[in-house]
Amino acid sequence: MTANVLFAGRPDAWPAYEPLLKTELSRLAVDADLRNEFPPEDVDYIVYAPSGPVSDFTAFTRLKAVLSLWAGVEKIVPVVPAGMPLTRMVDAGLERGMTEWVVGHTLRYHLGMDTHILRQNGRWEPKAPPLAKDRNVTVMGLGALGTASALALAALGFQVSGWSRTQKEIAGVTCHSGADGLKAALAHAEIVILLLPDTPATENTLNADTLALLPAGAKIINPGRGPLIDDDALLTALDNGQIGHATLDVFRVEPLPPEHPYWAHPNVTVTPHIASETRESTAAEVIAENIRRGEAGEPLLHLVDRSLGY
Ligand code: NDP
């Protein structure tokens, strides 16, 4: 039987996704009818983003799965009915973009680029930066994006540690896990990268207590989600020098309100949630493969664990 697939991502993304998804579905020999409009009671799969037209799922009475175009699902988990299979986006293009952004900002801190290159201040201080092998970097969150970033940093020679909920084994990365491993993950981290999901368990992972575990002057890079950081605690730590600088891509409120102290803080770099994004061509492959699996009765890839929220 034909599977009816509703594209309910951002409306302006439909022209790019339509041909790519159709090509992939046909390549995988999936009998599917893909459209950006359907009577809800006819829809089998929704390709979904919160920025699209669907916010209420009650009329979708024969729905088999919701396939998210976003990697972070904290806004999606509460609106998709309990029990409905929900997948999140794990996309090679998204992963590549995040890895490049993380490596770029890590190297910027490591090499002191803001001090030595971007703001030539007339002072002649001929002190070369250390080599990566003498720099400790910690990646918080070792999922699709954290692991790819940690591996790229390890390949450059950094001393990389990582932290996740469950214990990992990643070549070249010293892995810590759970509440017990948090102190060890932070104790020597000169640069901390946050790639955790936004869940009740990860809120304020960086707070006054955990920021105090870091070596004085540590740098923070947050492309994960705003609520991972207690903003007041970070501002205090930036003001007293415990944290040397922070590069923040994500915030509790986006766009970051003009009056927010981060904008004007001399030791904060604000970027407007651009660390990475889902890339249509690689994302279409993942979505089509999950529709194939759904129709074949095979387990879907990248299912969200609703009890954990990611
Ligand atoms: P994954 O779900 O693959 O990985 C999440 C990681 O966080 C896992 O290693 C998981 O541990 C760990 N984790 C979750 N909860 C806890 C906890 N309570 N304590 C310790 N570790 C925990 O996600 P991705 O790597 O694909 O993405 C990470 C986040 O990046 C997304 O949720 C999203 O918020 C953000 N993002 C930001 C973008 C941007 O442009 N700024 C773009 C895309 C994503 P375990 O492996 O043990 O389960």
Side-chain angles (χ1 to χ4, degrees), residues 69-196:
L69 288 165
W70 289 14
V73 289
E74 72 279 0
K75 289 192 177 129
I76 303 176
V77 167
V79 297
V80 173
M84 175 62 60
L86 165 64
T87 64
R88 54 181 219 93
M89 181 49 66
V90 175
D91 152 34
L94 174 73
E95 203 171 287
R96 191 65 218 158
M98 181 61 78
T99 303
E100 292 177 10
W101 191 88
V102 165
V103 167
H105 284 285
T106 303
L107 283 173
R108 170 181 150 238
Y109 279 142
H110 169 61
L111 298 174
M113 284 170 147
D114 290 355
T115 316
H116 298 296
I117 297 171
L118 301 180
R119 281 189 227 130
Q120 292 283 1
N121 55 14
R123 285 205 308 266
W124 184 262
E125 292 167 350
K127 189 172 183 307
L131 295 178
K133 73 176 182 57
D134 298 318
R135 183 77 73 191
N136 288 297
V137 179
T138 289
V139 181
M140 308 286 282
L142 293 172
L145 303 178
T147 298
S149 299
L151 285 170
L153 293 167
L156 284 172
F158 286 104
Q159 292 288 331
V160 183
S161 297
W163 183 70
S164 51
R165 186 177 55 84
T166 58
Q167 184 64 32
K168 310 282 175 209
E169 276 190 35
I170 303 171
V173 179
T174 305
C175 296
H176 305 277
S177 61
D180 294 345
L182 184 58
K183 196 171 175 184
L186 295 178
H188 305 289
E190 295 164 89
I191 301 172
V192 179
I193 297 142
L194 293 172
L195 276 167
L196 294 160

Side-chain angles (χ1 to χ4, degrees), residues 15-75:
Y17 272 108
E18 183 184 12
L20 293 165
L21 281 169
K22 283 187 171 160
T23 302
E24 280 306 311
L25 287 164
S26 133
R27 192 178 65 79
L28 295 173
V30 182
D31 179 7
D33 184 3
L34 170 77
R35 302 191 215 164
N36 64 347
E37 279 183 10
F38 259 121
E41 62 276 15
D42 292 344
V43 173
D44 295 301
Y45 298 91
I46 301 184
V47 180
Y48 183 75
S51 50
V54 174
S55 53
D56 181 355
F57 289 80
T58 41
F60 293 90
T61 46
R62 69 178 231 195
L63 198 59
K64 295 177 183 167
V66 175
L67 312 172
S68 167
L69 288 165
W70 289 14
V73 289
E74 72 279 0
K75 289 192 177 129

Side-chain angles (χ1 to χ4, degrees), residues 101 105 108-109 114 220-223 245-249 267-271:
W101 191 88
H105 284 285
R108 170 181 150 238
Y109 279 142
D114 290 355
I220 310 290
I221 301 175
N222 185 16
H245 204 281
T247 293
L248 309 174
D249 185 56
N267 292 338
V268 175
T269 297
V270 169
T271 60

